[in-house]
Amino acid sequence: MGEAERGESAPRVRVSFWCANGHETQPSFATDAQVPDTWDCPRCGFPAGQDRDNPPDPPRTEPYKTHLAYVRERRSDADGEAILAEALAKLRGEI
Ligand SMILES: [Zn+2]
């Protein structure tokens, strides 16, 4: 359905959003619509914001991260020791 079929369309405004990877996307909104604070970047899926110099942080949980990388990132020694102990116990056949 093209704009011609709907007749005169409501005025729209383009708003630029930038993601943490520097991608710019320009969705358009009806002038009376509320523009959201963030917009999902269509190229990488990161959230994008209207402040080019200060884009929203990328999502914390990234699917390609291994469990070990995730544990390391948290820098929790206690958790690390628990996992090591569990791994050692498995090696010894205790679990
Ligand atoms: Zn992006």
Side-chain angles (χ1 to χ4, degrees):
M1 185 167 68
E3 304 241 320
E5 290 174 56
R6 287 183 307 188
E8 201 62 30
S9 60
R12 297 179 81 80
V13 58
R14 280 195 174 280
V15 180
S16 289
F17 291 85
W18 289 269
C19 76
N21 287 327
H23 301 140
E24 181 182 7
T25 183
Q26 291 187 312
S28 63
F29 299 92
T31 50
D32 59 352
Q34 179 144 21
V35 178
D37 290 338
T38 60
W39 190 261
D40 284 346
C41 173
R43 291 173 66 182
C44 67
F46 282 10
Q50 292 180 55
D51 185 350
R52 182 178 205 156
D53 296 324
N54 190 21
D57 288 333
R60 287 175 202 282
T61 50
E62 289 155 36
Y64 60 80
K65 240 178 224 169
T66 65
H67 180 68
L68 184 58
Y70 179 67
V71 169
R72 278 189 184 136
E73 196 167 77
R74 284 192 300 172
R75 298 176 197 280
S76 166
D77 289 343
D79 280 356
E81 280 173 19
I83 286 165
L84 184 62
E86 188 182 317
L88 287 173
K90 271 182 189 160
L91 281 176
R92 296 191 198 110
E94 290 172 12
I95 292 180

